[in-house]
Each structure stands twice: as C-alpha cells, then as structure tokens.
Amino acid sequence: MEITIEESKNRAEESIRKKFHKTLFSPFAKACKTYELIQEKDHIAVCISGGKDSMLMAKLFQEIKRHRQVDFDLTFLVMDPGYNEENRILIEENAKRLGIPVTIFESTIFDSVDSIDKNPCYLCARMRRGYLYSKAKELGCNKIALGHHYDDVIETILMSMLHSGQIQTMMPKLHSTNFEGMELIRPLYLIREEDICKWRDYNNLRFLQCACHFTETCSTCNEDGTTASKRLDTKRLIAKLKENNPYVEGNIFKSVENVNIDTIIEYKKNGVRHNFLETYNNEPT
C-alpha cells in the first residue's frame, strides 16, 4: 500500500532520530560542534542539489534546529542550473515528500558549460558555488552548507597526492574569497556515504546523482560503473586497500590531522612557500 506524503516525512524523520541516530545525527552534531559550524544568529543556506547527500543534510539541519540549543535560521536553497523537466519534478516531489520547504531559483549554467571541452565538471562546480553564494547573500544568509561527506574528504586527500602532487584536504569550513562575510560549511564531514545510502534505501527514496547534459541518464545515486573518473578510481582504490587494512580510511583522514611539520621538506602558508632549510641550521642535532 502506497504511503502518504505525511507518512513518508514522518518515517524519514523518525529513522534519523532512532534507527540512524548513531550513524547520521550524532556525527552531524559532532562535526557542527567540533568545527564550530553553527553559531548564534547564523542564517544558513542549505544548498540542495537533489542528491541523497544534500537532501539528508536538509533533514539533519531540521532535526538539530528542533533541539533549540542554538538560535539560527535556515533557507533550503535549490538552484536549477538547467535540469530537464523530469529531474526538476523529482527534486520538487522529494522535497515535498520529506517536508523540506525549498526556495528554487534558475540559472543557465548547463548551457554555459555545454560547449566546454576541457574540465566542464570543474567549471560547472565553480559556477554553481558562485551562484549559490550570490543568491544566499541576497536572501540574507551568512553561510552556505554543502553536502560533502567523510568519503569525499578522504578521496580528496588521496587524489591530491596521486594526481596533483600535493597534500591538501577538503576543509570543514572556509571563508569566501569573493563574497565578503560569507562562509562555506560542510556539516556531513564525519558521515560515511554508506550510512547515507542505508538511510535512503530504508526510506525507499530515489534521488538525483548528476543531471547535467553530459550524464542525463544518471538520474539516481546508484553507481552503474559506466562513468570513469578520478574520484571513482580513487574510491575503488581505497576499497581495495581496505581489504588488507581495515583502518585505511580512518588513517587517511587522520593523516591531515597529524601533520608533522618537522618532517616536511616544503610547505605553503598563505601562499608563501617555505623550505626546511630555512630553520635547519638553527635546530639542535
């Protein structure tokens, strides 16, 4: 028997409070506290792409606001960068089904990157963020929240080493360089993707993954293995390494919390490169 919209909303919320409290709400609350992501009088634009991560993020924000430990406001912001009608409807129906009062605005990003041959996904992501910052600021927000999770973080760390020859991570929060007074926060920072998928499947939900003109057929978050990418390759590499070392994921994450500067040959601080030789002769042997 098909359940009503209200029943679907209640089931999704109850599953966060009970069945998935330890794996979803607790790490969400921990990240918010550890990295000081939510502060008094914040107005946060919760950016919803239509995928599983951002939809869950919206529900977790609603839940933590219900606890009333911090006074802050939320705007659930959806940018339509040129979705086809089917994907636009799916986002709207999911928002209604989950009880998320979304604010939708349009842009022409997909059309803008359609003719770009080199790194269209990178350009699309950069343009999306700019549009989101601009609209959020227009609506009186001081922060935008994105749905990157723990797996995104460790994959970024490894990708930076293997493909860019540098050690860097996806930060839990950042000051905007182009929009004064604005910050970006990532409250799913400590949540595993596997647990997000379990919540999605438990509630029989279907979300967008990527709906741009390059991957129109990719309308759910189920990986079909047909799209080759550096991130997918990195995800598979981590899974392979985990077969022999069950702690590999945690170790990758901890590696950027336990950086020993004394053993680093060169590093950058505020864009300035420093070399260990600068202080080498001043150090005791």
Side-chain angles (χ1 to χ4, degrees):
M1 183 175 66
E2 187 173 348
I3 64 174
T4 66
I5 290 177
E6 186 65 21
E7 288 171 335
S8 178
K9 169 182 171 292
N10 292 339
R11 176 182 170 87
E13 292 176 349
E14 184 178 11
S15 68
I16 289 173
R17 293 172 190 148
K18 296 181 178 180
K19 184 176 179 64
F20 299 103
H21 188 276
K22 183 177 180 180
T23 57
L24 296 180
F25 184 76
S26 290
F28 178 87
K30 181 180 179 180
C32 290
K33 182 177 181 180
T34 301
Y35 305 118
E36 300 178 355
L37 303 183
I38 303 176
Q39 296 169 322
E40 287 286 334
K41 305 304 179 181
D42 273 347
H43 187 172
I44 303 170
V46 182
C47 300
I48 299 174
S49 65
K52 67 187 190 307
D53 309 324
S54 59
M55 284 289 190
L56 171 62
M57 178 175 65
K59 296 307 297 178
L60 289 169
F61 264 115
Q62 287 180 325
E63 180 63 19
I64 204 168
K65 186 173 175 61
R66 191 178 67 87
H67 289 236
R68 299 180 184 275
Q69 293 187 357
V70 180
D71 180 24
F72 66 99
D73 292 320
L74 297 170
T75 293
F76 300 99
L77 192 59
V78 176
M79 180 185 65
D80 182 345
Y83 293 132
N84 64 31
E85 183 178 2
E86 179 184 356
N87 289 328
R88 169 72 177 253
I89 290 173
L90 179 60
I91 293 175
E92 292 173 340
E93 289 181 345
N94 278 333
K96 185 181 298 184
R97 186 178 181 185
L98 291 169
I100 304 170
V102 294
T103 298
I104 303 177
F105 72 103
E106 282 81 23
S107 73
T108 57
I109 290 177
F110 284 173
D111 289 338
S112 299
V113 301
D114 244 356
S115 59
I116 304 298
D117 295 326
K118 187 176 182 180
N119 295 329
C121 295
Y122 172 78
L123 178 61
C124 181
R126 295 277 297 186
M127 292 179 68
R128 280 172 181 255
R129 189 171 300 181
Y131 273 99
L132 289 169
Y133 267 129
S134 180
K135 188 64 176 182
K137 190 166 187 176
E138 176 188 320
L139 295 174
C141 301
N142 65 309
K143 293 179 179 177
I144 64 171
L146 301 185
H148 298 113
H149 48 66
Y150 184 95
D151 295 73
D152 290 323
V153 176
I154 62 174
E155 288 161 14
T156 297
I157 295 169
L158 204 54
M159 287 169 63
S160 295
M161 295 175 65
L162 299 178
H163 299 289
S164 301
Q166 57 185 333
I167 297 175
Q168 64 177 22
T169 188
M170 181 181 282
M171 297 296 287
K173 66 179 181 180
L174 293 166
H175 288 291
S176 172
T177 55
N178 298 316
F179 295 86
E180 186 177 356
M182 296 290 292
E183 284 185 77
L184 180 156
I185 62 174
R186 295 184 169 105
L188 302 189
Y189 205 78
L190 301 178
I191 296 180
R192 298 306 308 265
E193 183 176 24
E194 178 184 13
D195 294 319
I196 298 174
C197 290
K198 287 178 180 177
W199 173 80
R200 173 204 66 198
D201 296 342
Y202 176 81
N203 288 287
N204 299 312
L205 297 168
R206 183 176 73 91
F207 298 117
L208 293 183
Q209 179 177 338
C210 180
C212 73
H213 296 171
F214 300 101
T215 55
E216 289 279 22
T217 58
C218 189
S219 59
T220 73
C221 70
N222 296 319
E223 179 186 301
D224 61 10
T226 59
T227 303
S229 69
K230 290 179 181 177
R231 185 166 292 276
L232 184 56
D233 289 342
T234 305
K235 188 184 294 288
R236 289 169 176 163
L237 174 59
I238 293 173
K240 186 67 176 177
L241 293 171
K242 190 179 178 182
E243 293 176 5
N244 296 319
N245 179 2
Y247 306 108
V248 69
E249 294 157 310
N251 287 342
I252 293 171
F253 187 90
K254 290 176 184 176
S255 70
V256 292
E257 294 182 329
N258 296 313
V259 177
N260 188 344
I261 294 295
D262 293 333
T263 66
I264 299 299
I265 296 173
E266 290 191 352
Y267 66 94
K268 287 182 181 179
K269 177 67 176 176
N270 297 325
V272 179
R273 185 179 294 274
H274 298 275
N275 188 286
F276 83 103
L277 291 174
E278 293 174 6
T279 58
Y280 179 77
N281 290 327
N282 299 328
E283 297 173 355
T285 57

